[in-house]
Amino acid sequence: MDLHDIVGRLGQRKDPRLLVGLETSDDAAVYLLNDDLALVQTADFITPIVDDPFLFGQIAAANALSDIYAMGGKPITALNLCCFPQQELAKETLSAILEGGLSKVAEAGALVVGGHTVRDKELKFGLAATGVIHPKNIKSNRGAKPGDAIVLTKPIGTGILSTALKKEKITETELKPAISAMAALNQEAAEIMVQLNAGAATDITGFGLAVHLLNVAKWSGVASEVRLSEVPLFDRVRELSTEGIKTGITFANEQAAFGMISFDEKISREDQLLVFDPQTSGGLAIFINEKLVASLLKRLGDRGVLARRIGGVSDGDPFLRVVA
């Protein structure tokens, strides 16, 4: 039994105002306040993925706020969540982390209104974030439909790259494009997908591309197909994967998708594992009607988001087919 099953067994009081809860593995919960307004709530924190504390704070905050954006919401407040090894880390380091997080929350147009710090052996930082949304604009995992295209708004491969940095297989300079992407908010993508009435969305984070897409397929009752050659990768990711650079979570993600995914025989074992690579502060996977794809890609491009169509949705049992 995994953690999701354990939490699910706890149950929750039924309330019609809870529009999105635990049952659909969505990125955040949504609670109805009135006919025109609902709250979006989430919490997320991570361990350091870069040495620079300010950048770490930015990435951790962007990663947490992404859950609000994936639902189609707008962040309004955030609480800092920090586990801090006080005896080993200078106060200046904690200050820089919090400042980095604050800068991203401010960029999102939200406010840091407090938080909680505890002593821990391992440094962790993130946010408990609250957003707002119109109930008609919720982008739940239930909303994908046959005929939808799947658009991805950031490259993948941050798990491989961060592992490669720890193993001294790449330099910090080579990691900079991925750092910039991880620190970038998914704000623009969220606003545009709501404007175009996309059916569903999810952000690509720790479960990797495949498992996040399968969550949407499962709860929408559809089959999906991804063309691997269209999935954008950061530089050197395929090369490093071929050299055997993987995270410990990669194979857990693969196991989670067992029986619900197939690969074209042309796809190598190393390339198969790319779709299970855990991401930090990844992009949005947007499910949108085929007729609106061109408009979505153009509007994203005009706002500096280099998105790409990576696949589509069809009738069928929940499944993900990965083709070359």
Side-chain angles (χ1 to χ4, degrees), residues 220-234:
S220 296
V222 297
S224 296
E225 181 177 284
V226 164
R227 185 166 296 279
L228 191 58
S229 60
E230 294 299 324
V231 175
L233 302 173
F234 289 107

Side-chain angles (χ1 to χ4, degrees), residues 248-265:
I249 301 174
T250 297
F251 299 103
N253 288 342
E254 181 182 33
Q255 185 61 36
F258 182 78
M260 297 182 66
I261 190 169
S262 69
F263 291 92
D264 191 308
E265 62 182 11

